[in-house]
Amino acid sequence: MKQKRGKVRGTVGALAGLAAAYAAGNFLTADLVAKKYSGKSAFDIGAGNPGMASIGSELGSGPAVITLFGDAFKTAAAQWLMIALSSPALPREDAAMLAGTAVTLGHCFPATHNFRGGKGVATMTTAQMIAWPAWGIPSALIGLGSVIATQYLCIGGVAIPAVFLLGALLTKKSPLFVLCAFVNLAVAAYAHGPAIAGIPSGETPKTDVLRAFEGVADKVSVAVSQATDGVISDVTENVLHEFVLSSVPSLQHELNARLASLGDSLDHAFSQLTR
């Protein structure tokens, strides 16, 4: 009876977690970042896509990184909440996968924005890496490699869930897990399909990911350098300040004493010569 009650409670918790995950997906980090840095909605700048790539191309690497971390955080938070609420009705990786898919659906089809949202690459990738790190991380790396090789973000956007679904099928994951992986791939194909179709005609622009990474690395390097210089300056200033306050007065006192002694010696020598 106790075990049955636990499963019922877990099932109710899973439904609540599912709703919370979809709601979290509706929070579009890119829109908040765009309003902060440009005063406009993410839907009104660039291609109108509220995602990291669009923010990066229009506002720079700094806002893009903030967008990425915001989308990853909302996904991870929703997954951890689902794991806590759905136990013992759902295994951990099924709970994490279900929540991650719900966040991606909320991000791509947000009810708060007339079901028009981003493409879900960050949410989907984060969800897969947390739900099944052993395959989620390699899937993300393969997707990144495909973007570097082709310079098309859309290729990576579809490659990541495709490789992940293949792994889920080969290792015979649970039906719920495989269903979520399939939904992720379907959402990715829907989101990136037009861009992929535009590759042969040249309508889809290329993106030099390595150069973008170099830009982020340069900014981090400058920030660290400035922070380090500030620390060094503060330390130098403090050392000099302490030297002036403590060492200089004592040196001045000693110098005065020596000058007085030298004056006495000269007076004595002069008196001897004048006798």
Side-chain angles (χ1 to χ4, degrees):
M1 179 66 72
K2 188 176 180 181
Q3 185 178 7
K4 186 177 180 181
R5 253 189 242 165
K7 285 192 175 181
V8 171
R9 186 172 60 250
T11 301
V12 174
L15 293 175
L18 194 62
Y22 177 79
N26 277 243
F27 178 80
L28 302 178
T29 312
D31 200 35
L32 185 65
V33 171
K35 289 176 181 177
K36 170 69 175 176
Y37 284 90
S38 70
K40 299 179 181 179
S41 169
F43 295 96
D44 297 326
I45 62 173
N49 173 49
M52 179 191 69
S54 179
I55 291 295
S57 64
E58 296 298 321
L59 301 178
S61 56
V65 170
I66 296 173
T67 302
L68 172 62
F69 277 101
D71 287 344
F73 176 78
K74 73 181 182 184
T75 305
Q79 288 180 286
W80 292 328
L81 179 64
M82 174 68 89
I83 290 170
L85 291 177
S86 64
S87 179
L90 290 177
R92 179 197 174 281
E93 70 175 16
D94 283 2
M97 194 63 187
L98 180 60
T101 301
V103 171
T104 298
L105 289 172
H107 180 88
C108 297
F109 309 104
T112 53
H113 292 278
N114 297 319
F115 301 99
R116 178 189 166 210
K119 296 182 178 179
V121 176
T123 58
M124 189 181 301
T125 304
T126 300
Q128 292 178 169
M129 289 194 296
I130 291 177
W132 189 21
W135 202 272
I137 294 174
S139 298
L141 293 176
I142 291 171
L144 176 60
S146 67
V147 173
I148 293 173
T150 65
Q151 295 191 346
Y152 287 112
L153 294 175
C154 54
I155 297 295
V158 173
I160 293 171
V163 173
F164 191 83
L165 175 60
L166 178 62
L169 292 171
L170 291 175
T171 56
K172 297 181 180 179
K173 291 291 184 181
S174 73
L176 177 60
F177 194 96
V178 172
L179 174 63
C180 289
F182 179 80
V183 170
N184 285 346
L185 177 57
V187 170
Y190 175 82
H192 297 285
I196 293 175
I199 290 177
S201 62
E203 294 178 11
T204 301
K206 290 187 175 183
T207 301
D208 191 339
V209 177
L210 292 179
R211 181 171 294 179
F213 284 161
E214 287 175 3
V216 174
D218 288 342
K219 286 195 173 184
V220 172
S221 176
V222 170
V224 171
S225 177
Q226 290 175 344
T228 305
D229 289 343
V231 171
I232 292 174
S233 298
D234 290 342
V235 171
T236 304
E237 183 180 349
N238 290 334
V239 169
L240 291 175
H241 184 65
E242 290 298 322
F243 176 76
V244 170
L245 289 180
S246 59
S247 302
V248 171
S250 62
L251 289 173
Q252 185 178 13
H253 178 74
E254 184 179 352
L255 180 60
N256 289 336
R258 290 181 179 273
L259 288 174
S261 176
L262 179 60
D264 292 341
S265 299
L266 290 174
D267 286 341
H268 179 71
F270 184 74
S271 62
Q272 292 292 328
L273 290 173
T274 55
R275 282 183 181 179

